[in-house]
Amino acid sequence: MLEHLPLFPEAASTVARQVDALYFFLVAVSAFFSLLIAVLIVVFAIKYHRRRADQVGAGLTGSLRLEILWSAIPLAITMVMFFWGASLYFRLMRPPADAMVIYVTGKQWMWKVQHADGRREINELHVPVGRPVRLVLGSEDVIHSFYVPAFRVKMDVVPGRSTTLWFEATKPGRYRLFCAEYCGTKHSGMTGWIVALEPRAFQQWLAGGPVEGSLAQQGEKLFMDLGCHTCHLPAGQQGRGPSLEGLFGRPVKLADGSTVTADEAYVREAILQPQARIVAGFQPLMPPYQGLINEEQLNQLIAYLRALGGPPPEAAPR
Ligand code: CUA
């Protein structure tokens, strides 16, 4: 119904309708009270206006019942907003474990995409319909924001950090992708398309086009080229660095006694600034790779570590 309104974007993801429902609830509540207050101001101004020059207003007497009522009603309404909004927020922030992982890098002024099988795209992102997709977002320069109105999802893309966003497209089509954070001269031109395909068409798309090995294989090659394997030995062997097999997604004990989960954000930091958090039982020997490898190479390494094992399965097309 609402997508027929000319200013309203199409709804093409599993969360789109839920986001719209909350949005309309907020608009309806705001409109109702704005209207109510405006009407009452006019009515009271007419009803209680001064009729004679020497007229004096009546004194006010308090009413406990009224006070309680006008506190309880707004409280109830705002609590509905809070719990509704929070539950939707949690849904948006928690990607399903079986989501297909795709790496997206923002740079002035384009979107670069790396699929798990090694396919690359620029300013286009092909995804299958009916399957959750999780994007791992990074930036090569400044803050960008990945925004797909038809999916009702948006996430900042921040340099030096790994952010994530997920969606599940519900119908095939081409949907606009925007950069929603002012990022320089050609910010307005930093747009693209999400191409949602039926699963079979998506498989055909993946199969077409040249590929130089999967993302994980590219990462493995880089791992060797950089000499990482000389310190990070296979499991069971004592190297200068910890073994990386089965690391991804698991807890890591640090030298300061704390524990972190080896997710994208941690692995990114461990490669770029290894001194920041040292693994328990190891010396701070690893050189920082900040500035030596780019975002796309970083994604290759992360995909390789992911493929080396750990709980969340890599995004093999199913
Ligand atoms: Cu990138 Cu605006």
Side-chain angles (χ1 to χ4, degrees):
M1 168 189 97
L2 294 156
E3 60 267 33
H4 301 309
L5 292 175
L7 286 176
F8 219 76
E10 201 172 348
S13 81
T14 49
V15 297
R17 285 280 167 252
Q18 299 170 22
V19 173
D20 289 354
L22 177 61
Y23 173 77
F24 284 115
F25 175 71
L26 297 177
V27 170
V29 169
S30 310
F32 173 77
F33 281 102
S34 303
L35 211 64
L36 181 72
I37 291 166
V39 168
L40 287 182
I41 287 174
V42 173
V43 168
F44 288 161
I46 294 168
K47 190 170 173 197
Y48 297 112
H49 78 279
R50 193 156 72 157
R51 293 184 170 78
R52 295 189 321 268
D54 61 345
Q55 195 172 16
V56 178
L60 281 178
T61 50
S63 165
L64 188 62
R65 260 176 62 197
L66 204 58
E67 295 249 7
I68 291 174
L69 203 65
W70 76 42
S71 301
I73 292 174
L75 180 70
I77 294 172
T78 46
M79 281 299 115
V80 169
M81 290 175 180
F82 173 73
F83 283 104
W84 190 348
S87 74
L88 189 53
Y89 178 82
F90 281 123
R91 173 136 201 248
L92 287 166
M93 287 299 127
R94 285 184 181 152
D98 65 338
M100 186 174 129
V101 177
I102 300 175
Y103 298 84
V104 177
T105 303
K107 70 171 272 197
Q108 289 167 322
W109 287 275
M110 63 172 85
W111 297 103
K112 296 191 285 189
V113 176
Q114 295 165 284
H115 289 266
D117 79 331
R119 280 292 300 260
R120 288 157 177 268
E121 309 182 70
I122 286 181
N123 293 340
E124 261 198 359
L125 169 59
H126 285 72
V127 295
V129 162
R131 179 158 180 206
V133 172
R134 181 161 78 91
L135 304 183
V136 176
L137 301 161
S139 168
E140 270 182 25
D141 35 47
V142 299
I143 303 179
H144 305 277
S145 186
F146 190 95
Y147 179 35
V148 186
F151 294 170
R152 311 288 193 272
V153 291
K154 173 155 65 176
M155 180 51 73
D156 279 0
V157 182
V158 185
R161 241 199 249 179
S162 177
T163 53
T164 191
L165 167 153
W166 82 275
F167 56 79
E168 181 178 330
T170 50
K171 52 183 177 185
R174 282 167 68 80
Y175 307 106
R176 285 235 174 241
L177 159 66
F178 292 106
C179 177
E181 180 71 50
Y182 181 67
C183 56
T185 314
K186 291 185 188 150
H187 154 72
S188 62
M190 193 170 164
T191 60
W193 294 94
I194 310 293
V195 184
L197 299 170
E198 292 290 359
R200 184 166 301 172
F202 180 72
Q203 290 306 328
Q204 280 170 1
W205 177 83
L206 267 189
V211 162
E212 70 268 26
S214 73
L215 201 57
Q217 284 164 346
Q218 295 166 17
E220 183 176 14
K221 184 172 178 303
L222 187 60
F223 192 80
M224 300 297 171
D225 291 349
L226 292 172
C228 311
H229 63 297
T230 57
C231 293
H232 297 285
L233 303 180
Q237 298 179 37
Q238 184 60 42
R240 274 164 292 185
S243 171
L244 305 179
E245 278 176 30
L247 166 81
F248 203 90
R250 296 250 158 80
V252 177
K253 214 163 161 31
L254 300 178
D256 65 5
S258 62
T259 303
V260 290
T261 301
D263 55 8
E264 280 105 9
Y266 169 73
V267 169
R268 154 189 285 272
E269 184 195 78
I271 295 169
L272 299 180
Q273 295 149 10
Q275 318 291 338
R277 287 187 277 190
I278 300 295
V279 177
F282 290 91
Q283 294 299 313
L285 297 172
M286 180 169 157
Y289 283 84
Q290 184 91 60
L292 297 179
I293 58 172
N294 63 31
E295 283 294 318
E296 285 165 287
Q297 291 174 315
L298 195 56
N299 288 336
Q300 293 170 352
L301 287 176
I302 292 173
Y304 174 57
L305 294 188
R306 185 187 282 278
L308 275 181
E314 174 60 324
R318 85 180 157 192

